[in-house]
Amino acid sequence: MLKIHKKSLIGLSLLISIIPSLIFSVKAIEFPDAPEREPPQSTAAGGRRGGCVRGNMPITPLTPNQDNSVKTVSPQPQFFVYIPPSKAKFFQFILKDETGNEIDNQEIPITESDAIMSINVSEKTNLEVGKKYLWEISLICNPMVVNNSSYTKGSIERVTLDENIKKELLANKDILKQAQIYANNNIWQDTISLVGSIQESQPQEWQQLLTSVGLENLKEKKLISEDSP
């Protein structure tokens, strides 16, 4: 009869215990080829001493690059923004088409600051494929004056997927696998939305995604989901 030493059993048990973590680390979600990011700077007077924001961190959109340009396949994409401690009770989200016409304008209550908030565009919004849209997010410290505090902006373009990518997504029902497919095709907004949807159960994946685009200073911040408007 084959004899197995006690030390061998202990070693085998340790190996079995670390295999899941090794597998998990291999499949950690990343957004490839993200450019180097400089520390975020305040873009409005409200971010300076004596203004709206309290502390050194400005309002920061969760995007993979400095110019905050992103892509999506969704007609109603979700946005994510870090809300710093401030005097503001609300922040404003504005979405415009290429001609400057507003297609969405929301004042969203700040339920908790020093946290990341998700923003759902309104149900009436329907981004068109091949078109680029401009978005703005600003803290509102004075109800009579908009954008007098910390402010950020960027652009989003709705794109379509080729048939091979669509088939790949249909073949993979796992959320992380779908997120990585979007990431591999440089589609940020759908990548972060999928990973954000499982942030509570798999926080490591959320943290890894933010780290991969230079947002490691936000990876420990609480994520707050906004109810659909």
Side-chain angles (χ1 to χ4, degrees):
M1 181 180 292
L2 180 63
K3 294 183 178 180
I4 301 177
H5 292 288
K6 185 176 181 181
K7 289 183 177 179
S8 298
L9 287 172
I10 294 174
L12 181 61
S13 298
L14 288 173
L15 179 61
I16 292 173
S17 68
I18 66 173
I19 285 176
S21 62
L22 290 174
I23 295 173
F24 189 80
S25 65
V26 169
K27 73 172 187 176
I29 186 73
E30 291 189 352
F31 199 77
D33 301 325
E36 290 295 323
R37 180 190 296 269
E38 297 178 1
Q41 302 293 324
S42 176
T43 57
R48 303 188 186 114
R49 181 174 296 179
C52 181
V53 174
R54 300 186 178 112
N56 297 321
M57 290 184 65
I59 191 170
T60 306
L62 273 60
T63 65
N65 47 54
Q66 287 290 127
D67 65 4
N68 299 327
S69 60
V70 294
K71 294 179 181 179
T72 184
V73 299
S74 173
Q76 297 177 330
Q78 190 176 32
F79 291 79
F80 296 83
V81 61
Y82 167 72
I83 302 295
S86 74
K87 300 175 184 178
K89 302 299 182 184
F90 296 85
F91 70 94
Q92 185 178 46
F93 170 76
I94 298 176
L95 188 63
K96 301 177 181 179
D97 63 21
E98 291 179 299
T99 63
N101 294 319
E102 287 188 8
I103 60 174
D104 195 9
N105 188 329
Q106 302 179 46
E107 285 191 10
I108 301 169
I110 299 174
T111 57
E112 187 172 341
S113 62
D114 193 26
I116 295 167
M117 288 193 66
S118 66
I119 304 170
N120 298 315
V121 299
S122 62
E123 295 180 356
K124 65 182 180 181
T125 302
N126 188 6
L127 303 192
E128 297 182 37
V129 173
K131 291 190 176 182
K132 185 175 288 188
Y133 299 82
L134 306 177
W135 53 265
E136 303 171 1
I137 304 173
S138 56
L139 298 177
I140 303 175
C141 284
N142 183 338
M144 302 302 295
V145 181
V146 177
N147 293 344
N148 73 327
S149 191
S150 197
Y151 166 83
T152 186
K153 64 180 180 179
S155 64
I156 186 168
E157 180 184 3
R158 186 183 173 195
V159 298
T160 188
L161 301 173
D162 67 36
E163 292 303 316
N164 289 333
I165 299 174
K166 289 179 181 178
K167 289 178 182 178
E168 191 176 1
L169 287 168
L170 288 173
N172 290 280
K173 301 301 182 182
D174 181 79
I175 288 178
L176 286 177
K177 289 181 180 178
Q178 290 185 342
Q180 191 62 66
I181 291 170
Y182 283 120
N184 292 342
N185 289 277
N186 199 36
I187 300 174
W188 169 257
Q189 222 63 11
D190 302 85
T191 301
I192 191 172
S193 292
L194 285 171
V195 179
S197 71
I198 57 171
Q199 185 267 345
E200 286 191 6
S201 61
Q202 300 191 46
Q204 302 94 331
E205 298 295 350
W206 174 259
Q207 294 171 5
Q208 174 65 24
L209 177 61
L210 297 191
T211 299
S212 74
V213 295
L215 292 173
E216 58 272 9
N217 60 329
L218 299 180
K219 68 180 184 180
E220 301 289 347
K221 301 297 182 181
K222 183 178 179 180
L223 174 60
I224 301 172
S225 295
E226 180 213 0
D227 291 332
S228 299

